[in-house]
Amino acid sequence: MRYVSTRGAWSADPQPFCAILLEGLAPDGGLAVPQRYPVFSRGELAALRPMAYRDLAFAVLSRFADDIPREDLRHLVDATYTRATFGSDAITPLSTLEPNLHLLHVSNGPTLAFKDIALQLLGNLFQYVLDKEQRTINVLGATSGDTGSSAEYALRGKRRVNVFMLSPQGRMSPFQAAQMYALTDANIHNLAIQGTFDECQDVVKAVNGDAAFKARYAIGAVNSINWARVAAQVVYYFSGYFQATREDGEPADFAVPSGNFGNILAGHVARAMGLPIRRLILATNENDVLDEFFRTGRYRPRGAAETHATSSPSMDISKASNFERFIYDVVGRDPVGVRKLWDRMASNGGFDLAGTDYWPAVRAANFVSRRSTHAERIATIRDVHARFAVTIDPHTADGVKAALELRDRAVSTICIETALPVKFAATIREALGREPARPAAYEGLEARPQRVTVLPAAAAKVKAYIEEHAAAV
Ligand SMILES: *Cc1c(COP(=O)(O)O)cnc(C)c1O
């Protein structure tokens, strides 16, 4: 298996999995994609059905990471997907609300959001590749909450990796701040920036813009466009499908709360690999760039001023970074087609595929979509609680709302639970008038000692901190 760029620059020299693992973007600004999707035959799919999660993960991931010796990959997968880290051997258990309506629980990892599924594996893969190549990296990132803490829990205590994570001081929920700042591992550096999340991102950009500094300190990232994250997420589509269905070949729909298009892209890939997913139900909040695209064909990323702060904040995105991989498939995996569309976006602020030769391919991909508002999230949390005695978080509620509107009762609809309600207590209190349940391991979290350094929103100060605490390479 080799990887190419959606914009073509790697095409002459496709790269193996380990070569693209640590890179965010291809040299031409495109994203890494497999040259072709691996496909499971019907017989192979039937053999996957009874597998435990770790075996399934190995079966799927070994198709993508075939440059890692099988016994090494086996070990990495077994060390990642444990009961100790994910709360059960099922790793992503499924529960049934009523016949043909299910919740897939992919949020039982250390930070109680689905990103742990991919990032816990990524932490182990990073350490493995860095050990092999005898390199060190300094991961620099900015977070408004979820991704940063998931990355820190994945990389804490790992060899050859330091993490410098910027967060806006005083602007996260107390639970989110405590989750990060209570980590005491020597390689984790929490930098509380006196400014907004956007200012944190500007600092990260400025540091990355200093090419000499970036090279000297091997500055890296753990971002949402990392291909290994998509590959790791493909596994739970297989797991969810096999838990919800009984017969080989039986169709199922998935409902996916979406922001950067990373989670649902994994569903698209799982289907391309032969899993009988029928429809992918995409849900957005008021930031409805993706809902607009699937209804109208128009893709129009928004600016910061048009991006709303909502009660499903992890879906507050203005442009969907993984969407380019889907478009690559839509244009027949032709990098010239992708480049033309992205050029048009640069000059016109977007593109419209309705009525073009590409539209039938979008339709054939069988995505359907809905958006929700804050009032609808609250109503859905109440409705699910009243009917099924289950509390769902606001992101999951966006997905369930779309599923309830669009579902076909004759087919299994699997709603992906992307976070646990305890992370978003204020919204749960508003909907249900009480506190969400808190897993035992998180009792007293906010009272634990915290380790955080406060810095002004200035790239020079952050660079000075990195110089002092990271090893130059
Ligand atoms: C990241 C996140 C999402 C959005 O997932 P994408 O892969 O960006 O589409 C949805 N819900 C929660 C809780 C998240 O943390």
Side-chain angles (χ1 to χ4, degrees), residues 443-462:
E443 288 302 340
L445 175 70
E446 292 90 334
R448 287 181 207 160
Q450 299 194 348
R451 190 166 154 271
V452 57
T453 302
V454 179
L455 290 178
K461 298 283 187 208
V462 170

Side-chain angles (χ1 to χ4, degrees), residues 151 346 403 466:
I466 294 174

